[in-house]
Amino acid sequence: MSAEAQQDGCKDIARQLVEDETGRKINVIMGGGRQMLVSGVTDNPADPIDTWGCISKDDRDLITDWRNYKQQAGERYAVVQNNGELNALHGESVDYVLGIFANGHLKYDHERDRSDAGMPSLRNMTVKALEVLKSKDKGFLLVVEGGMIDQAHHRGTARRALSEALALNEAVDAAVQEMR
């Protein structure tokens, strides 16, 4: 965001998600973007800083802010950051989930670390989101985006885009099965 926009009182999307009422009402948020939520994240080969994404420089930790808000509000919540934590989560025991699995964009599905320390697939995130949402006595809207399809196209890697389209198809198939 430009300095001019900030001076005009605009908030970036990460801050809106954590600080504003509309963002706080979202029950399940999962994906990448740690470097937009937390200043000073570390770069490592398994989870590099994403040069295609924004980087927080406001010395804030919006993940901690989100957790503190939920705790102060007496909400049932979980923050998960890898496969193991997501798999261990009992969706019916929480009302809110913040799953941040990468500094920037998620890895392509065929390149991700599938161990407990790695990042979940789009399918896994979809199934867990439905586990959380279905356990409530109200309707819901679940938006699932295969964002890496677009990234692969922007980077000129059609094979990766096709692989990501297949990963999105697996997530949709899992959602259909979960809702039956």
Side-chain angles (χ1 to χ4, degrees):
M1 177 183 318
S2 71
E4 185 177 290
Q6 287 178 337
Q7 288 173 344
D8 289 342
C10 294
K11 287 184 185 179
D12 64 36
I13 293 170
R15 286 187 56 211
Q16 291 176 46
L17 191 64
V18 173
E19 296 173 354
D20 293 356
E21 184 178 353
T22 303
R24 289 180 175 178
K25 289 182 179 181
I26 298 174
N27 294 88
V28 179
I29 303 163
M30 291 191 217
R34 186 179 300 110
Q35 70 191 43
M36 291 87 158
L37 294 162
V38 179
S39 294
V41 296
T42 56
D43 185 48
N44 67 70
D47 190 14
I49 298 297
D50 191 335
T51 58
W52 286 62
C54 298
I55 298 173
S56 173
K57 295 180 181 179
D58 60 6
D59 295 324
R60 300 200 50 198
D61 181 342
L62 293 174
I63 295 173
T64 298
D65 290 354
W66 185 89
R67 180 185 287 119
N68 290 342
Y69 172 78
K70 294 300 180 196
Q71 190 172 34
Q72 290 169 2
E75 304 285 2
R76 299 180 325 148
Y77 71 92
V79 175
V80 293
Q81 298 192 58
N82 58 43
N83 268 329
E85 292 175 2
L86 183 65
N87 290 335
L89 178 67
H90 297 286
E92 61 280 346
S93 69
V94 296
D95 296 316
Y96 296 91
V97 176
L98 179 62
I100 304 299
F101 305 111
N103 283 333
H105 292 97
L106 296 175
K107 292 217 181 238
Y108 293 108
D109 188 67
H110 70 279
E111 295 176 355
R112 69 185 175 82
D113 175 357
R114 296 169 188 268
S115 74
D116 281 350
M119 64 184 62
S121 68
L122 193 56
R123 180 193 186 287
N124 293 354
M125 289 184 274
T126 300
V127 168
K128 193 58 73 169
L130 286 170
E131 184 180 305
V132 172
L133 297 169
K134 283 180 14 179
S135 68
K136 313 306 173 252
D137 289 334
K138 57 184 179 178
F140 61 86
L141 167 70
L142 175 62
V143 177
V144 178
E145 178 188 12
M148 294 309 292
I149 299 167
D150 187 48
Q151 290 298 320
H153 282 299
H154 282 294
R155 294 172 179 155
T157 54
R159 172 65 180 97
R160 283 181 172 152
L162 180 58
S163 176
E164 289 302 304
L166 293 172
L168 176 59
N169 189 64
E170 289 176 13
V172 170
D173 284 348
V176 169
Q177 293 303 315
E178 288 290 317
M179 295 306 297
R180 286 190 175 172

